[in-house]
Each structure stands twice: as C-alpha cells, then as structure tokens.
Amino acid sequence: MDFKYVQTTCPYCGTGCSFNLVVRDGKVVGTQPYDRSPVNEGKVCPKGTYAHEFVNSPDRLTKPLIKKDGKFVEATWDEAYDLIAQKFKSYKPDEFAALASARVSNEENYLMMKFARGVMKSRHIDHCARLCHSSTVAGLAASFGSGAMTNSILDIAESKCVFVIGSNTFEQHPLIGRKIVQAKKNGAKVIYADPRYTPTARQADLYMPFVSGSDVAILNGLMQEIIKNGWEDREFIEKRTKDFEKLKEVVMKETYSLENVSKISGIPVESLKTAAEWLGTNKPGAILYSMGITQHTVGVDNVRSVANIQMLLGNLGKPGAGVNALRGQNNVQGACDMGALPNVFTGYQKVIDEAAHKKFADAWGFPDGICEPKLGYEVTTMMNVLTDNPGELKCMYIMGENPMISDPDINHVREALESLDFLVVQDIFMTETGELADVILPAACYAERDGTQTSTERRVQRWRKAQNPPGEAKQDWQIICELAARMGYAEQFPFQSAEEIFEEIRRVTPSYAGMTYERLDRPEALHWPCPTVEHPGTPILHREKFSSPDGLGAFAPIEWKPPAEVPDEEYPFVFTTGRILWHWHTGTMTRRSATLDTEVPTGWIEINTEDAKALGIKNGEIVRAVTRRGSVEVPAKVTDDIMKGVMFMPFHFHECAANILTNNALDPVAKIPEFKACAVRVEKITEA
Ligand code: SF4
C-alpha cells in the first residue's frame, strides 16, 4: 500500500490554514494536522477537517461537455478547444468578458487575466471579489494607499481591545477567532457589533446588536465620544495623517451624538459609551471586519469610517492594531493581487496608466498588442449590461465561479447569462451556472494542483498536488495555456508548471518579486510586499509611513446614509444574508461533503421570536420570504438570537436561494451589491 502525507493549504476561507492531505494508493482519503504553520498551529475548523470528502465525489466533472439540442454530451478536449477557439475568434474584443476565481491559484488567475487582456484584447475581467471586498480595496487604498488587511493574523492576539464589526469571525474565520480568544486571555476587551447574536457574540465582553446599514453612524458616534474625552492619539494624527479637521467637522455634528446614533442603530447609549471608552483607553486595538461592512451601497464609506477610527486612535503600523479586513475566500486576496479586476494589472498597477500598460504589453509580447488602456466592466456591471444593452456583451468565459447562487437578484443573473451568445464554464462540478453554458471544461480541485494562494493577511502559501485529477480533468492553468495555443498564442503561454508561471508573475509584480517557490516552502511562507529575494516579507503594513504618494493616511469626512431599500408597509423587515460554519459559499464543495451536509442539510430564515409570534409563524414551519426581486419557500428558525425587525438567511442553499431575494443596488465606487440590507416580508403558506 502506498501511503503519504502532502502538506497543503485549505481551499475554503481566507485564513490560510495548512493541513496534511492523507493519500493512500494515489487517492486523497483524509486530512491530518500540520503543526508547523504559525497561522493555525495544527488546528482546523470543521470545513478544514473534512476538506478531503468532496475531492473524489462521483459528481466530479471528468470530460469536456458540449451542449447540443439543449443537452450536454461528452466531447474530446480537441472538440471542445476547436469549438471554443472558433467562437472566441468570432467576437470583437469588448464583446468578450472573463470571470477569474477566488478559489483557484494565483498562477491561474494571472493566466486568466493575461488571456482576457492579451489573447482576447478585452478589458472586461473581474471575479467575485467584486461581491465581497471590492469596497475594502477601494476604501483602504483611498485612506492608506494600499487596499489590503494591514496587520497579520498572529498579532491580533497582542491586541488590548478587539472590535469586531460586520464579521461573524468564529463561524467564518474560526482560526482567526482563536486569536481573539488568545487576546482575551491576555486581558483584551472584546467588543462585537452585529444584528445577530452569533457564536462570535458569545465570546464578546460587550455585544451591540444594531440595525443593518447603520455602521457609519455608529463609527461616527464612537469617534465623537472619543474626541470629546480626549482619547484620540494626537501625535499620530499630527505626524502620520491629513484632513483631521475635515473629519471633525462631520463627526462632531449633533447628528452623531450618542443619543441620535442610538436612535439610528438601536444600540443603547450606555453600550456606545462603554465601547468608546474601551477603544479609547485600551491600545493597541484591532478592528476586524468582513462583509457586514463591505456589502452595502455605502461599502466604501463604511470601510473609510473604519480606517478613520483606527487613524484617530493611532492604531496602525504596530502589532496588535490595524484595520483587519477579513477576506472571504481562500484566494480572494491573490485573485485581486493578480489583476483579475477590470482596473488593474498585477500588484494594482493601473490599466489606464500608460507606463503600466506598456510594461505589460512589452513583457507579454503579443504581436498584435493587448487590450486598450481603458477600464473594463465589473461583474455586477456585466450583468446589467447584458440585460439592459443587448448585444454589447456576447460571450463569457467563467472559471470556478457560480454567479447563479452567489450574485444578487438571481432571476436577473439568469436573464443576463441566458442572453449570451456563447458561455464557457470551467469548474470541478456541474453548477447552476454550468447548466446555462454551451461548453463545460472539467478542472482539477485544490488537492490536484500545484500553485500558490494568498490569504487574507497577504501571506502567500503553496498548494501541493496530492493526487491526479479524475478522468480527463486538468489544472485550470493547463486548460488556459492549451486554449491560448489553439488560438495562436502558444509563444505567450509556454508554461510547463505552476512555478514557471509564478516566475513570470514575479518579473512583472514588484510586491511579489522577492518570492520564490523555495522561499514559500517554509512553514511561515511570506507576506507581501516582498520586493527582493533578501526581503523578509511584510506582516505589518504602514509602520513608518502609509503607502500613499505623500506617505500620509487620509481622513475622510463621511455622512451616514440609509440602505438603498428600507422597510415599508409592503416589505416591513430588514433582510440580511451571510455564511455559516458548516458550509461554503455556493455549496458546490461542502454540500458534497457527507459530514458537513449531514450536519446542516438545508437553509432557513431566522426570525425574531416576537416577530414570529406577531406573524403566527412557528419554528420549523415552511414560510414564503418575498422581496421586490422574487420569493423563496424556506423553513423558519424562530430565535431570540436575531434582532426584532431583522431577518437572516444563509446563502449556500440552491433549494432556498437567499440571493433570489437580495438587492443588486451598487456602491457607486466599488460596484459592490447591497447583500446585507434590503426589505422583506414573510408570509405563511396556506394550503390551497
Ligand atoms: Fe480552512 Fe478557514 Fe477553517 Fe482554516 S478557518 S480550516 S482556512 S475554513
């Protein structure tokens, strides 16, 4: 019997835990702890523990599929490539759009970006970071000059005050939650603000339930109280920041007195006072946030407000401090770093910058040039263009994404994707999006590929191949290279391994230039920026100065605005969505994991006990949830763990898809949808 352990990195959340895959006779059969990673020190959450279970699922795609007369039939790779190449060549550059993926490696995102811009000459490339943290990238770049988590996961344990807002850390990033526990053991105060009493709330010293969408008001109110009490860090403000007076003009308004903020948010004045005092008198303090902050029409405003309060407190550039934006998926940071966005090449080099555009055109050497130096469409814009401007976009190539479950207003997404002339989907399982495709290409999963991924804390870590892909499935980078060659660009895609692609990434990306596979093989790997091979990496950003051109952090005066859709007579409740411990995003992997799916087999809608009583709804009863976008039938979970007036659904479950209900209203800057607040009503289902 052949038996081995292969160390790799978890394919689920952005924490970046390492574990060993147990391989018996060439097949992955289990996971075992890998103790040497400083991120998780051998511990994993349930998703990591059972991350082997879907790998050899009988549902894996094993052959290319081509749709004929409305049905998929198996095809050879040659047939699939010929069809795709012939169709792709028939479109003008900007009739084509690509979606890269936060689930695949840096190397594969880089190649998809190069394929879209170099082979197809299209400016339209994006991926699901648009839906989770595009407001972080835009907001933190405006405040600090760099749009990433400022500190490392490890130094959260050194914080004296941890403020978690809009993140259910103990369910979504459990091994980061462990660092909060360590901070607490070291004497830190833990403050938690969320509309739901989640497992994270149970760990908090102060829990503040609030009405979804009132974040800016809360943060402005806390800043007013901090300034009134003289708890701000005057030296930091003076030496390291600008525009403090502009911030003060807004946050000191009567609108943001604690009494008014209490009315807007529902948080008692006493709790707000305590939070301000703890933040002001326990330093360094760390703020942790996730999609509760970002997924709003004011997502960028929310992020900038978080940056404001941390600059006010001097909580940047040191251990135990920071603006810790917890990225959702395993490689969402890396997919952004690799330029799988409509406005940047790798390392956030702007496509509209002439020098950057020339640099990439020269480095890639396409004889017929690359895309124009213009901004492309965000994924949310792509969907709107498809329905509102028929014929402008005709063809999409989607790698490892499932917008038919993950994107807001699914009925609209269906209409958009069905309007395409030609759709190629590349994935490991048939998905709801794949069902709409013309061609399906079977891909390798994380356990079958080499490559790197970049976790939420900018730590670039290795994936290592543990088994061969099933049937004829291939690694995404191989598929892209072969397709590019079929289209006449073999010279630009000569790669024989993921490492060769990484070497090209290093050459064009200053923040990755000092990393090599050899250096990344160490258990601690490296944090970017890492500009030279001698550089030790950068766990903490902005130590001496910010990354902005003048080196200063920029305060932004932000006024509170309500969500795009608020409750009214017809839709009287606030509706919000999120994830749970046992499942992952659109469920393609975790719902094929027997253990995880047995634990939580379907979705639900959480309704406050008093609201349920008023509506005559019992726990477990199937109800109909209705918004202006559509309706779903879903079991009710009646609980005191959610605020009165607010309802919640996890979005993993296709049979009761929360995103049928959500609102595609967008933040004007980041174009992120408002998943976290819209208006809903719930109806009893009566027998006909
Ligand atoms: Fe995987 Fe995240 Fe769980 Fe770690 S915390 S094991 S990275 S899902």
Short mmCIF file of all heavy atoms in Angstrom, two decimals, residues 596-655:
data_model
loop_
_atom_site.label_atom_id
_atom_site.label_comp_id
_atom_site.label_asym_id
_atom_site.label_seq_id
_atom_site.Cartn_x
_atom_site.Cartn_y
_atom_site.Cartn_z
N LEU A 596 -20.32 17.39 6.46
CA LEU A 596 -20.80 18.77 6.57
C LEU A 596 -22.28 18.85 6.17
O LEU A 596 -23.07 19.54 6.80
CB LEU A 596 -19.95 19.70 5.69
CG LEU A 596 -18.45 19.75 6.05
CD1 LEU A 596 -17.69 20.58 5.02
CD2 LEU A 596 -18.22 20.32 7.44
N ASP A 597 -22.65 18.11 5.13
CA ASP A 597 -24.03 18.19 4.66
C ASP A 597 -24.99 17.51 5.63
O ASP A 597 -26.13 17.93 5.77
CB ASP A 597 -24.15 17.57 3.26
CG ASP A 597 -25.35 18.12 2.53
OD1 ASP A 597 -25.54 19.36 2.55
OD2 ASP A 597 -26.12 17.33 1.95
N THR A 598 -24.53 16.47 6.31
CA THR A 598 -25.38 15.83 7.32
C THR A 598 -25.60 16.80 8.48
O THR A 598 -26.71 16.89 9.03
CB THR A 598 -24.70 14.55 7.85
OG1 THR A 598 -24.44 13.72 6.74
CG2 THR A 598 -25.57 13.83 8.87
N GLU A 599 -24.56 17.53 8.81
CA GLU A 599 -24.67 18.46 9.95
C GLU A 599 -25.72 19.53 9.67
O GLU A 599 -26.57 19.83 10.52
CB GLU A 599 -23.29 19.09 10.18
CG GLU A 599 -23.06 19.70 11.52
CD GLU A 599 -23.06 18.70 12.66
OE1 GLU A 599 -22.48 17.61 12.52
OE2 GLU A 599 -23.67 19.02 13.68
N VAL A 600 -25.66 20.13 8.49
CA VAL A 600 -26.63 21.17 8.13
C VAL A 600 -27.11 20.89 6.70
O VAL A 600 -26.47 21.28 5.73
CB VAL A 600 -26.01 22.58 8.22
CG1 VAL A 600 -27.04 23.64 7.84
CG2 VAL A 600 -25.47 22.86 9.60
N PRO A 601 -28.25 20.19 6.56
CA PRO A 601 -28.66 19.74 5.22
C PRO A 601 -29.41 20.76 4.38
O PRO A 601 -29.54 20.59 3.18
CB PRO A 601 -29.55 18.53 5.51
CG PRO A 601 -30.05 18.75 6.90
CD PRO A 601 -29.04 19.59 7.62
N THR A 602 -29.92 21.82 4.98
CA THR A 602 -30.62 22.83 4.16
C THR A 602 -30.62 24.19 4.85
O THR A 602 -30.14 24.32 5.98
CB THR A 602 -32.06 22.37 3.83
OG1 THR A 602 -32.58 23.21 2.80
CG2 THR A 602 -32.99 22.45 5.03
N GLY A 603 -31.18 25.17 4.17
CA GLY A 603 -31.16 26.54 4.70
C GLY A 603 -32.37 26.87 5.56
O GLY A 603 -33.22 26.01 5.85
N TRP A 604 -32.46 28.12 5.97
CA TRP A 604 -33.54 28.59 6.83
C TRP A 604 -33.60 30.10 6.78
O TRP A 604 -32.70 30.75 6.26
CB TRP A 604 -33.32 28.11 8.27
CG TRP A 604 -32.10 28.71 8.92
CD1 TRP A 604 -32.00 29.90 9.58
CD2 TRP A 604 -30.78 28.15 8.93
NE1 TRP A 604 -30.71 30.11 9.99
CE2 TRP A 604 -29.94 29.06 9.62
CE3 TRP A 604 -30.22 26.97 8.43
CZ2 TRP A 604 -28.58 28.83 9.81
CZ3 TRP A 604 -28.85 26.74 8.62
CH2 TRP A 604 -28.06 27.66 9.31
N ILE A 605 -34.67 30.64 7.34
CA ILE A 605 -34.74 32.09 7.56
C ILE A 605 -34.88 32.33 9.05
O ILE A 605 -35.75 31.74 9.70
CB ILE A 605 -35.87 32.76 6.74
CG1 ILE A 605 -35.80 34.28 6.89
CG2 ILE A 605 -37.26 32.24 7.12
CD1 ILE A 605 -36.60 35.04 5.83
N GLU A 606 -34.01 33.15 9.60
CA GLU A 606 -34.07 33.45 11.03
C GLU A 606 -35.05 34.59 11.27
O GLU A 606 -34.97 35.64 10.63
CB GLU A 606 -32.68 33.86 11.53
CG GLU A 606 -31.93 32.70 12.14
CD GLU A 606 -30.50 33.05 12.51
OE1 GLU A 606 -30.28 34.09 13.18
OE2 GLU A 606 -29.63 32.28 12.13
N ILE A 607 -35.97 34.36 12.22
CA ILE A 607 -36.99 35.35 12.55
C ILE A 607 -37.01 35.52 14.07
O ILE A 607 -37.02 34.53 14.80
CB ILE A 607 -38.40 34.89 12.08
CG1 ILE A 607 -38.36 34.56 10.57
CG2 ILE A 607 -39.47 35.92 12.39
CD1 ILE A 607 -39.67 34.01 10.03
N ASN A 608 -37.01 36.75 14.51
CA ASN A 608 -37.07 37.03 15.94
C ASN A 608 -38.37 36.46 16.55
O ASN A 608 -39.43 36.47 15.92
CB ASN A 608 -37.00 38.54 16.16
CG ASN A 608 -37.19 38.93 17.60
OD1 ASN A 608 -38.31 39.13 18.04
ND2 ASN A 608 -36.09 39.00 18.33
N THR A 609 -38.28 35.98 17.77
CA THR A 609 -39.41 35.31 18.43
C THR A 609 -40.65 36.19 18.46
O THR A 609 -41.76 35.73 18.16
CB THR A 609 -39.01 34.92 19.87
OG1 THR A 609 -37.78 34.20 19.82
CG2 THR A 609 -40.08 34.06 20.53
N GLU A 610 -40.48 37.46 18.80
CA GLU A 610 -41.66 38.35 18.88
C GLU A 610 -42.27 38.58 17.49
O GLU A 610 -43.48 38.60 17.32
CB GLU A 610 -41.26 39.70 19.47
CG GLU A 610 -41.16 39.67 20.97
CD GLU A 610 -40.84 41.07 21.50
OE1 GLU A 610 -41.51 42.04 21.11
OE2 GLU A 610 -39.87 41.16 22.28
N ASP A 611 -41.40 38.77 16.49
CA ASP A 611 -41.89 38.95 15.12
C ASP A 611 -42.65 37.70 14.66
O ASP A 611 -43.71 37.80 14.02
CB ASP A 611 -40.73 39.22 14.14
CG ASP A 611 -40.08 40.58 14.37
OD1 ASP A 611 -40.77 41.48 14.88
OD2 ASP A 611 -38.89 40.72 14.04
N ALA A 612 -42.09 36.53 14.97
CA ALA A 612 -42.74 35.28 14.55
C ALA A 612 -44.11 35.15 15.21
O ALA A 612 -45.09 34.74 14.56
CB ALA A 612 -41.84 34.10 14.91
N LYS A 613 -44.15 35.53 16.47
CA LYS A 613 -45.43 35.43 17.19
C LYS A 613 -46.47 36.34 16.53
O LYS A 613 -47.62 35.93 16.27
CB LYS A 613 -45.21 35.85 18.65
CG LYS A 613 -46.29 35.39 19.58
CD LYS A 613 -45.86 35.62 21.01
CE LYS A 613 -47.09 35.49 21.90
NZ LYS A 613 -46.87 36.09 23.19
N ALA A 614 -46.05 37.56 16.22
CA ALA A 614 -46.99 38.50 15.58
C ALA A 614 -47.45 38.00 14.21
O ALA A 614 -48.58 38.25 13.80
CB ALA A 614 -46.30 39.87 15.44
N LEU A 615 -46.58 37.27 13.52
CA LEU A 615 -46.93 36.75 12.19
C LEU A 615 -47.60 35.38 12.26
O LEU A 615 -48.01 34.82 11.23
CB LEU A 615 -45.66 36.63 11.33
CG LEU A 615 -44.97 37.94 10.94
CD1 LEU A 615 -43.55 37.67 10.45
CD2 LEU A 615 -45.77 38.67 9.87
N GLY A 616 -47.67 34.81 13.46
CA GLY A 616 -48.28 33.48 13.63
C GLY A 616 -47.43 32.37 13.05
O GLY A 616 -47.93 31.34 12.60
N ILE A 617 -46.10 32.56 13.07
CA ILE A 617 -45.19 31.57 12.47
C ILE A 617 -44.51 30.75 13.57
O ILE A 617 -44.02 31.30 14.56
CB ILE A 617 -44.14 32.30 11.60
CG1 ILE A 617 -44.81 32.83 10.35
CG2 ILE A 617 -42.98 31.38 11.24
CD1 ILE A 617 -43.98 33.79 9.56
N LYS A 618 -44.46 29.44 13.34
CA LYS A 618 -43.83 28.55 14.33
C LYS A 618 -42.44 28.13 13.85
O LYS A 618 -42.18 28.10 12.65
CB LYS A 618 -44.69 27.30 14.52
CG LYS A 618 -46.03 27.55 15.14
CD LYS A 618 -46.68 26.22 15.53
CE LYS A 618 -48.03 26.44 16.16
NZ LYS A 618 -48.99 27.09 15.25
N ASN A 619 -41.61 27.75 14.81
CA ASN A 619 -40.28 27.27 14.47
C ASN A 619 -40.38 26.04 13.57
O ASN A 619 -41.14 25.12 13.83
CB ASN A 619 -39.54 26.90 15.77
CG ASN A 619 -38.08 26.64 15.53
OD1 ASN A 619 -37.45 27.31 14.72
ND2 ASN A 619 -37.54 25.65 16.21
N GLY A 620 -39.63 26.03 12.47
CA GLY A 620 -39.62 24.88 11.55
C GLY A 620 -40.67 24.95 10.46
O GLY A 620 -40.60 24.19 9.49
N GLU A 621 -41.63 25.83 10.60
CA GLU A 621 -42.68 25.95 9.59
C GLU A 621 -42.10 26.48 8.27
O GLU A 621 -41.24 27.36 8.27
CB GLU A 621 -43.73 26.94 10.14
CG GLU A 621 -44.87 27.23 9.23
CD GLU A 621 -45.87 28.21 9.90
OE1 GLU A 621 -45.85 28.36 11.15
OE2 GLU A 621 -46.65 28.81 9.15
N ILE A 622 -42.57 25.92 7.14
CA ILE A 622 -42.11 26.46 5.85
C ILE A 622 -42.90 27.74 5.57
O ILE A 622 -44.13 27.75 5.59
CB ILE A 622 -42.37 25.45 4.70
CG1 ILE A 622 -41.80 24.07 5.02
CG2 ILE A 622 -41.81 25.99 3.37
CD1 ILE A 622 -40.30 23.98 5.02
N VAL A 623 -42.15 28.82 5.31
CA VAL A 623 -42.79 30.12 5.03
C VAL A 623 -42.32 30.61 3.67
O VAL A 623 -41.38 30.06 3.08
CB VAL A 623 -42.42 31.17 6.11
CG1 VAL A 623 -42.96 30.75 7.46
CG2 VAL A 623 -40.90 31.40 6.16
N ARG A 624 -42.98 31.64 3.19
CA ARG A 624 -42.56 32.26 1.93
C ARG A 624 -41.94 33.62 2.23
O ARG A 624 -42.60 34.49 2.81
CB ARG A 624 -43.74 32.40 0.99
CG ARG A 624 -43.33 32.92 -0.41
CD ARG A 624 -44.50 33.01 -1.37
NE ARG A 624 -45.10 31.72 -1.62
CZ ARG A 624 -46.33 31.37 -1.25
NH1 ARG A 624 -47.12 32.23 -0.65
NH2 ARG A 624 -46.79 30.16 -1.50
N ALA A 625 -40.66 33.79 1.86
CA ALA A 625 -40.00 35.08 2.02
C ALA A 625 -40.06 35.79 0.67
O ALA A 625 -39.73 35.21 -0.36
CB ALA A 625 -38.54 34.89 2.44
N VAL A 626 -40.49 37.07 0.70
CA VAL A 626 -40.75 37.79 -0.55
C VAL A 626 -40.06 39.15 -0.51
O VAL A 626 -40.16 39.88 0.48
CB VAL A 626 -42.27 38.02 -0.73
CG1 VAL A 626 -42.56 38.57 -2.13
CG2 VAL A 626 -43.07 36.76 -0.48
N THR A 627 -39.33 39.47 -1.59
CA THR A 627 -38.84 40.83 -1.78
C THR A 627 -39.28 41.31 -3.16
O THR A 627 -39.94 40.58 -3.89
CB THR A 627 -37.30 40.93 -1.69
OG1 THR A 627 -36.73 40.25 -2.83
CG2 THR A 627 -36.76 40.31 -0.42
N ARG A 628 -38.86 42.50 -3.52
CA ARG A 628 -39.24 43.04 -4.84
C ARG A 628 -38.61 42.24 -5.98
O ARG A 628 -38.97 42.39 -7.13
CB ARG A 628 -38.84 44.51 -4.95
CG ARG A 628 -39.70 45.40 -4.08
CD ARG A 628 -39.34 46.87 -4.19
NE ARG A 628 -40.30 47.67 -3.41
CZ ARG A 628 -40.19 47.89 -2.11
NH1 ARG A 628 -39.17 47.41 -1.44
NH2 ARG A 628 -41.11 48.60 -1.48
N ARG A 629 -37.61 41.37 -5.67
CA ARG A 629 -36.94 40.59 -6.72
C ARG A 629 -37.52 39.21 -6.92
O ARG A 629 -37.34 38.60 -7.96
CB ARG A 629 -35.45 40.43 -6.39
CG ARG A 629 -34.54 41.51 -6.87
CD ARG A 629 -34.62 42.79 -6.13
NE ARG A 629 -34.48 42.64 -4.69
CZ ARG A 629 -34.83 43.56 -3.80
NH1 ARG A 629 -35.38 44.70 -4.18
NH2 ARG A 629 -34.69 43.36 -2.52
N GLY A 630 -38.16 38.65 -5.90
CA GLY A 630 -38.65 37.28 -6.03
C GLY A 630 -39.04 36.71 -4.69
O GLY A 630 -39.09 37.43 -3.68
N SER A 631 -39.31 35.41 -4.67
CA SER A 631 -39.71 34.78 -3.41
C SER A 631 -39.12 33.38 -3.31
O SER A 631 -38.83 32.74 -4.32
CB SER A 631 -41.24 34.71 -3.32
OG SER A 631 -41.73 33.81 -4.29
N VAL A 632 -38.90 32.93 -2.06
CA VAL A 632 -38.44 31.55 -1.83
C VAL A 632 -39.24 30.96 -0.68
O VAL A 632 -39.67 31.68 0.23
CB VAL A 632 -36.93 31.48 -1.47
CG1 VAL A 632 -36.07 31.84 -2.64
CG2 VAL A 632 -36.59 32.35 -0.28
N GLU A 633 -39.41 29.65 -0.74
CA GLU A 633 -40.04 28.94 0.38
C GLU A 633 -38.93 28.32 1.21
O GLU A 633 -38.04 27.66 0.65
CB GLU A 633 -41.00 27.89 -0.16
CG GLU A 633 -42.16 28.55 -0.89
CD GLU A 633 -43.27 27.60 -1.30
OE1 GLU A 633 -43.18 26.40 -1.00
OE2 GLU A 633 -44.22 28.10 -1.94
N VAL A 634 -38.99 28.54 2.51
CA VAL A 634 -37.83 28.22 3.35
C VAL A 634 -38.32 27.95 4.78
O VAL A 634 -39.28 28.58 5.25
CB VAL A 634 -36.83 29.41 3.29
CG1 VAL A 634 -37.46 30.74 3.67
CG2 VAL A 634 -35.58 29.18 4.11
N PRO A 635 -37.67 27.01 5.49
CA PRO A 635 -38.05 26.78 6.89
C PRO A 635 -37.73 27.99 7.78
O PRO A 635 -36.69 28.61 7.61
CB PRO A 635 -37.20 25.58 7.31
CG PRO A 635 -36.64 25.00 6.06
CD PRO A 635 -36.61 26.09 5.04
N ALA A 636 -38.65 28.28 8.71
CA ALA A 636 -38.42 29.40 9.64
C ALA A 636 -37.63 28.89 10.84
O ALA A 636 -37.90 27.80 11.36
CB ALA A 636 -39.75 29.96 10.10
N LYS A 637 -36.64 29.68 11.25
CA LYS A 637 -35.94 29.39 12.51
C LYS A 637 -36.30 30.53 13.45
O LYS A 637 -35.84 31.67 13.25
CB LYS A 637 -34.43 29.33 12.26
CG LYS A 637 -33.62 28.94 13.48
CD LYS A 637 -32.15 29.03 13.11
CE LYS A 637 -31.35 27.92 13.71
NZ LYS A 637 -29.96 27.95 13.25
N VAL A 638 -37.12 30.24 14.41
CA VAL A 638 -37.59 31.28 15.33
C VAL A 638 -36.62 31.34 16.51
O VAL A 638 -36.36 30.33 17.16
CB VAL A 638 -39.03 30.98 15.80
CG1 VAL A 638 -39.50 32.01 16.81
CG2 VAL A 638 -39.97 30.94 14.59
N THR A 639 -36.06 32.53 16.74
CA THR A 639 -34.97 32.63 17.71
C THR A 639 -34.87 34.03 18.30
O THR A 639 -35.21 35.02 17.63
CB THR A 639 -33.62 32.26 17.03
OG1 THR A 639 -32.55 32.53 17.93
CG2 THR A 639 -33.39 33.04 15.74
N ASP A 640 -34.36 34.08 19.52
CA ASP A 640 -34.06 35.39 20.12
C ASP A 640 -32.68 35.90 19.70
O ASP A 640 -32.28 36.99 20.09
CB ASP A 640 -34.09 35.28 21.66
CG ASP A 640 -35.51 35.09 22.16
OD1 ASP A 640 -36.44 35.54 21.47
OD2 ASP A 640 -35.68 34.46 23.23
N ASP A 641 -31.96 35.08 18.92
CA ASP A 641 -30.60 35.46 18.54
C ASP A 641 -30.54 36.46 17.40
O ASP A 641 -29.45 36.81 16.94
CB ASP A 641 -29.78 34.21 18.14
CG ASP A 641 -29.43 33.37 19.35
OD1 ASP A 641 -29.60 33.85 20.48
OD2 ASP A 641 -28.99 32.22 19.16
N ILE A 642 -31.69 36.89 16.90
CA ILE A 642 -31.68 37.94 15.88
C ILE A 642 -32.54 39.09 16.38
O ILE A 642 -33.54 38.88 17.08
CB ILE A 642 -32.18 37.40 14.51
CG1 ILE A 642 -31.92 38.43 13.41
CG2 ILE A 642 -33.66 37.00 14.55
CD1 ILE A 642 -31.93 37.85 12.01
N MET A 643 -32.13 40.30 16.00
CA MET A 643 -32.87 41.49 16.45
C MET A 643 -34.30 41.46 15.93
O MET A 643 -34.55 40.99 14.82
CB MET A 643 -32.24 42.75 15.85
CG MET A 643 -31.04 43.25 16.55
SD MET A 643 -30.51 44.76 15.73
CE MET A 643 -31.52 45.98 16.57
N LYS A 644 -35.18 42.04 16.71
CA LYS A 644 -36.55 42.26 16.23
C LYS A 644 -36.48 43.15 14.98
O LYS A 644 -35.70 44.10 14.93
CB LYS A 644 -37.33 42.95 17.34
CG LYS A 644 -38.80 42.93 17.22
CD LYS A 644 -39.41 43.34 18.55
CE LYS A 644 -40.89 43.47 18.49
NZ LYS A 644 -41.44 44.31 17.47
N GLY A 645 -37.27 42.81 13.99
CA GLY A 645 -37.32 43.64 12.78
C GLY A 645 -36.32 43.24 11.72
O GLY A 645 -36.31 43.82 10.63
N VAL A 646 -35.44 42.28 12.03
CA VAL A 646 -34.41 41.86 11.07
C VAL A 646 -34.59 40.36 10.79
O VAL A 646 -34.94 39.59 11.68
CB VAL A 646 -32.99 42.11 11.62
CG1 VAL A 646 -31.93 41.71 10.60
CG2 VAL A 646 -32.82 43.57 12.02
N MET A 647 -34.39 39.95 9.54
CA MET A 647 -34.41 38.53 9.19
C MET A 647 -33.12 38.19 8.45
O MET A 647 -32.57 39.01 7.73
CB MET A 647 -35.64 38.21 8.34
CG MET A 647 -36.93 38.44 9.11
SD MET A 647 -38.36 37.87 8.23
CE MET A 647 -39.66 38.35 9.39
N PHE A 648 -32.70 36.91 8.61
CA PHE A 648 -31.41 36.48 8.06
C PHE A 648 -31.55 35.15 7.35
O PHE A 648 -32.26 34.27 7.82
CB PHE A 648 -30.39 36.33 9.20
CG PHE A 648 -29.15 35.56 8.83
CD1 PHE A 648 -28.05 36.20 8.29
CD2 PHE A 648 -29.08 34.17 9.03
CE1 PHE A 648 -26.90 35.47 7.94
CE2 PHE A 648 -27.94 33.44 8.69
CZ PHE A 648 -26.85 34.10 8.14
N MET A 649 -30.86 35.02 6.21
CA MET A 649 -30.74 33.70 5.56
C MET A 649 -29.30 33.44 5.17
O MET A 649 -28.63 34.34 4.65
CB MET A 649 -31.60 33.66 4.27
CG MET A 649 -33.05 33.31 4.51
SD MET A 649 -34.01 33.37 2.96
CE MET A 649 -33.42 31.90 2.12
N PRO A 650 -28.80 32.19 5.38
CA PRO A 650 -27.52 31.82 4.79
C PRO A 650 -27.71 31.62 3.29
O PRO A 650 -28.80 31.22 2.85
CB PRO A 650 -27.17 30.50 5.48
CG PRO A 650 -28.48 29.94 5.92
CD PRO A 650 -29.41 31.10 6.14
N PHE A 651 -26.65 31.88 2.49
CA PHE A 651 -26.87 31.89 1.04
C PHE A 651 -26.35 30.65 0.31
O PHE A 651 -26.30 30.62 -0.90
CB PHE A 651 -26.27 33.17 0.41
CG PHE A 651 -24.77 33.17 0.27
CD1 PHE A 651 -24.17 32.75 -0.91
CD2 PHE A 651 -23.95 33.61 1.29
CE1 PHE A 651 -22.79 32.76 -1.07
CE2 PHE A 651 -22.56 33.63 1.14
CZ PHE A 651 -21.98 33.20 -0.03
N HIS A 652 -26.02 29.59 1.06
CA HIS A 652 -25.37 28.42 0.45
C HIS A 652 -26.31 27.48 -0.29
O HIS A 652 -25.84 26.58 -0.98
CB HIS A 652 -24.70 27.58 1.54
CG HIS A 652 -23.92 28.35 2.54
ND1 HIS A 652 -22.76 29.00 2.23
CD2 HIS A 652 -24.12 28.59 3.86
CE1 HIS A 652 -22.28 29.59 3.32
NE2 HIS A 652 -23.09 29.36 4.31
N PHE A 653 -27.62 27.62 -0.13
CA PHE A 653 -28.53 26.52 -0.46
C PHE A 653 -29.37 26.83 -1.69
O PHE A 653 -30.22 27.72 -1.66
CB PHE A 653 -29.43 26.24 0.76
CG PHE A 653 -28.63 25.94 1.99
CD1 PHE A 653 -28.35 26.94 2.92
CD2 PHE A 653 -28.12 24.67 2.21
CE1 PHE A 653 -27.59 26.67 4.05
CE2 PHE A 653 -27.35 24.39 3.33
CZ PHE A 653 -27.08 25.39 4.26
N HIS A 654 -29.15 26.06 -2.78
CA HIS A 654 -29.85 26.35 -4.04
C HIS A 654 -31.35 26.15 -3.93
O HIS A 654 -32.12 26.82 -4.60
CB HIS A 654 -29.28 25.48 -5.17
CG HIS A 654 -29.46 24.01 -4.95
ND1 HIS A 654 -30.61 23.34 -5.27
CD2 HIS A 654 -28.62 23.08 -4.42
CE1 HIS A 654 -30.48 22.06 -4.95
NE2 HIS A 654 -29.28 21.88 -4.43
N GLU A 655 -31.80 25.23 -3.04
CA GLU A 655 -33.23 24.94 -2.96
C GLU A 655 -33.99 26.07 -2.25
O GLU A 655 -35.23 26.14 -2.34
CB GLU A 655 -33.48 23.58 -2.27
CG GLU A 655 -33.09 23.49 -0.80
CD GLU A 655 -31.59 23.21 -0.59
OE1 GLU A 655 -30.80 23.49 -1.51
OE2 GLU A 655 -31.23 22.77 0.52
#
